[in-house]
Amino acid sequence: KLADGRIRALFLEWISQIQTGAHGALDVDADPQDLLFRTYNLIDGYYGRKRVRRSELQLMGVACTFAATKHTISSDSREDQQTDEDLAAWLAFVTDGTFTPYHVRDAESKIANVLGFKMNTPTAYTFLRRYLRKTGWTQESFSLANYLIELAVLNSGFAKYSLQAIAAAATVLSRQYIRSEEHTSEL
């Protein structure tokens, strides 16, 4: 199981940096926040079911990134398969040569086997977008709510709450904050 607290937060922050670099390195149209939260879900799902040796922590993290990207973007065409190969190579590179593209692809396959249909579960970000669409949103309320769910997902203390509850709370808090800011500026 992935360690709680500071190690988990540092690990997820590292994954966020990896995703930022990978998204810039590849020409993909996917929403970077959706990929990030999907990766976090895969990490939590896999690490909740399997013990991962410390020596494999980095590999399984980049493999979850690979899996999130692969399952978000269709890989039917030969060009998409080349993109998958490029991404696996890039993710292997960020491990400072500790792992190869083969290791990344193999680890992604293990993750898919362990998680099965749970590879495609909604994320806190998915719920947030749904809630904000229903309640109306501004760029400010979306940005604040997105920031709040990022903080919550990074903090292991919030693991006791469902992703729906985290997204709903962020929606309510962001709307209340934006309304209070608007009210304050009117005074």
Coordinates of all heavy atoms in Angstrom, one line a residue, residues 8 34 38 57 76 79 84 87-88 93-94 100 105 108 112 116 125 131 140 148 150 170 177-179 181 186:
R8 N 3.4 10.1 0.2 CA 2.4 10.0 -0.8 C 2.3 11.4 -1.5 O 2.2 11.4 -2.7 CB 1.0 9.6 -0.1 CG -0.1 9.5 -1.2 CD -1.4 9.2 -0.4 NE -2.5 9.0 -1.4 CZ -3.2 10.0 -1.9 NH1 -2.9 11.2 -1.6 NH2 -4.1 9.7 -2.8
D34 N -7.6 16.1 -16.5 CA -8.3 14.8 -16.5 C -7.3 13.6 -16.5 O -7.5 12.7 -15.7 CB -9.2 14.7 -17.8 CG -10.0 13.4 -17.8 OD1 -10.6 13.0 -16.8 OD2 -10.1 12.8 -18.9
R38 N -7.0 11.0 -13.4 CA -7.1 9.6 -13.8 C -5.9 8.8 -13.3 O -6.0 7.7 -12.8 CB -7.3 9.5 -15.3 CG -7.6 8.1 -15.7 CD -8.1 8.0 -17.2 NE -9.2 8.9 -17.4 CZ -10.5 8.7 -17.1 NH1 -10.8 7.6 -16.4 NH2 -11.4 9.5 -17.4
L57 N 8.4 1.6 -6.9 CA 7.5 2.7 -6.8 C 7.5 3.7 -8.0 O 6.4 4.0 -8.5 CB 7.9 3.5 -5.5 CG 6.9 4.6 -5.0 CD1 5.6 4.0 -4.5 CD2 7.6 5.4 -3.9
D76 N -6.1 3.3 -31.7 CA -6.5 2.4 -32.8 C -5.6 2.5 -34.0 O -5.3 1.5 -34.7 CB -7.9 2.7 -33.3 CG -8.9 2.4 -32.2 OD1 -8.6 1.6 -31.3 OD2 -10.0 3.0 -32.2
E79 N -0.4 5.6 -36.0 CA 0.1 6.8 -35.4 C 0.0 6.8 -33.9 O 0.9 7.2 -33.2 CB -0.5 8.0 -36.1 CG 0.0 9.3 -35.6 CD -0.6 10.5 -36.3 OE1 -0.6 10.5 -37.6 OE2 -1.2 11.4 -35.6
D84 N 2.1 5.9 -28.3 CA 2.2 5.1 -27.1 C 3.7 4.7 -26.9 O 4.2 4.7 -25.8 CB 1.4 3.8 -27.2 CG -0.1 4.0 -27.0 OD1 -0.5 5.2 -26.6 OD2 -0.9 3.1 -27.2
L87 N 5.6 7.7 -25.8 CA 5.3 8.0 -24.4 C 6.0 7.0 -23.4 O 6.6 7.4 -22.4 CB 3.8 8.0 -24.1 CG 3.3 8.3 -22.7 CD1 3.9 9.7 -22.2 CD2 1.8 8.2 -22.6
A88 N 6.0 5.7 -23.7 CA 6.6 4.7 -22.9 C 8.1 5.0 -22.8 O 8.7 4.9 -21.8 CB 6.4 3.3 -23.4
F93 N 12.6 7.2 -19.7 CA 13.7 8.2 -19.6 C 13.6 9.0 -18.3 O 14.7 9.2 -17.7 CB 13.6 9.2 -20.8 CG 14.5 10.4 -20.7 CD1 15.9 10.2 -20.9 CD2 14.0 11.6 -20.3 CE1 16.8 11.3 -20.8 CE2 14.9 12.7 -20.2 CZ 16.3 12.5 -20.5
V94 N 12.4 9.4 -17.8 CA 12.3 10.2 -16.6 C 12.7 9.4 -15.4 O 12.8 9.9 -14.3 CB 10.9 10.9 -16.4 CG1 10.6 11.8 -17.6 CG2 9.8 9.9 -16.2
T100 N 13.2 0.5 -18.6 CA 13.1 0.6 -20.1 C 11.6 0.8 -20.5 O 10.7 0.6 -19.7 CB 13.6 -0.6 -20.7 OG1 12.7 -1.7 -20.4 CG2 15.0 -1.0 -20.3
R105 N 5.6 -0.6 -20.3 CA 4.5 -1.2 -21.0 C 4.1 -2.5 -20.2 O 2.9 -2.7 -20.0 CB 4.8 -1.6 -22.4 CG 4.9 -0.4 -23.3 CD 5.0 -0.7 -24.8 NE 6.1 -1.7 -25.1 CZ 7.4 -1.3 -25.3 NH1 7.7 0.0 -25.2 NH2 8.3 -2.2 -25.5
E108 N 2.3 -1.4 -17.0 CA 0.9 -0.9 -17.4 C 0.0 -2.1 -17.6 O -1.2 -2.1 -17.2 CB 1.0 0.0 -18.6 CG -0.3 0.6 -19.1 CD -1.2 -0.3 -20.0 OE1 -0.6 -1.2 -20.7 OE2 -2.4 -0.2 -20.0
A112 N -3.5 -2.9 -15.6 CA -4.8 -3.2 -16.3 C -5.3 -4.5 -15.8 O -6.6 -4.6 -15.6 CB -4.6 -3.1 -17.8
G116 N -8.7 -4.1 -14.0 CA -9.8 -4.5 -14.9 C -10.7 -3.3 -15.2 O -10.2 -2.3 -15.6
Y125 N -12.2 15.1 -10.5 CA -12.3 16.1 -11.6 C -13.5 15.8 -12.5 O -14.2 16.8 -12.9 CB -11.0 16.0 -12.4 CG -10.9 17.1 -13.4 CD1 -10.7 18.4 -13.1 CD2 -10.9 16.7 -14.8 CE1 -10.6 19.4 -14.1 CE2 -10.8 17.7 -15.8 CZ -10.6 19.0 -15.4 OH -10.5 20.0 -16.4
Y131 N -20.7 18.8 -11.7 CA -21.4 19.6 -10.7 C -21.3 21.1 -11.1 O -22.3 21.8 -11.0 CB -20.7 19.5 -9.3 CG -20.9 18.1 -8.7 CD1 -20.0 17.7 -7.7 CD2 -21.9 17.2 -9.1 CE1 -20.1 16.4 -7.2 CE2 -22.0 16.0 -8.6 CZ -21.1 15.6 -7.6 OH -21.2 14.3 -7.0
E140 N -13.3 31.7 -12.6 CA -12.8 31.9 -11.3 C -13.3 30.7 -10.4 O -12.5 30.1 -9.6 CB -13.2 33.2 -10.6 CG -12.5 34.4 -11.3 CD -13.3 34.9 -12.6 OE1 -14.4 34.5 -12.8 OE2 -12.7 35.6 -13.3
L148 N -9.0 23.3 -5.1 CA -9.4 22.6 -3.9 C -9.4 21.1 -4.0 O -9.0 20.4 -3.1 CB -10.8 23.1 -3.5 CG -10.9 24.6 -3.0 CD1 -12.3 25.0 -2.8 CD2 -10.1 24.8 -1.8
E150 N -7.6 19.4 -6.0 CA -6.2 18.9 -6.1 C -5.6 18.8 -4.7 O -4.9 17.8 -4.4 CB -5.3 19.9 -6.9 CG -5.3 19.6 -8.4 CD -4.2 20.5 -9.1 OE1 -3.0 20.3 -8.7 OE2 -4.6 21.2 -10.0
A170 N -16.0 21.1 -3.0 CA -15.2 22.1 -3.7 C -16.1 23.0 -4.5 O -15.9 24.2 -4.6 CB -14.2 21.4 -4.6
Y177 N -17.3 31.3 -2.1 CA -16.2 32.3 -2.1 C -16.4 33.3 -3.2 O -16.2 34.5 -2.9 CB -14.9 31.5 -2.2 CG -13.7 32.5 -2.2 CD1 -13.3 33.0 -1.0 CD2 -13.1 32.9 -3.4 CE1 -12.2 33.9 -1.0 CE2 -12.1 33.8 -3.4 CZ -11.6 34.3 -2.2 OH -10.5 35.2 -2.1
I178 N -16.7 32.9 -4.3 CA -16.9 33.8 -5.5 C -18.1 34.8 -5.2 O -17.9 36.0 -5.4 CB -17.1 33.1 -6.8 CG1 -15.9 32.2 -7.1 CG2 -17.5 34.1 -7.9 CD1 -14.6 32.9 -7.3
R179 N -19.2 34.3 -4.6 CA -20.3 35.2 -4.2 C -19.9 36.2 -3.2 O -20.3 37.3 -3.2 CB -21.5 34.3 -3.8 CG -22.3 33.8 -4.9 CD -23.7 33.3 -4.4 NE -24.1 32.3 -5.3 CZ -24.4 31.1 -4.9 NH1 -24.3 30.7 -3.7 NH2 -24.8 30.2 -5.8
E181 N -16.9 37.3 -2.6 CA -16.0 38.3 -3.2 C -16.8 39.3 -4.0 O -16.5 40.5 -4.0 CB -15.0 37.6 -4.2 CG -13.9 36.9 -3.4 CD -13.0 37.8 -2.8 OE1 -12.5 38.8 -3.4 OE2 -12.7 37.6 -1.6
E186 N -19.1 44.9 -4.2 CA -20.2 45.8 -4.4 C -20.3 46.8 -3.3 O -20.9 47.9 -3.5 CB -21.5 45.0 -4.4 CG -21.7 44.2 -5.7 CD -22.9 43.2 -5.6 OE1 -23.6 43.3 -4.6 OE2 -23.1 42.5 -6.6

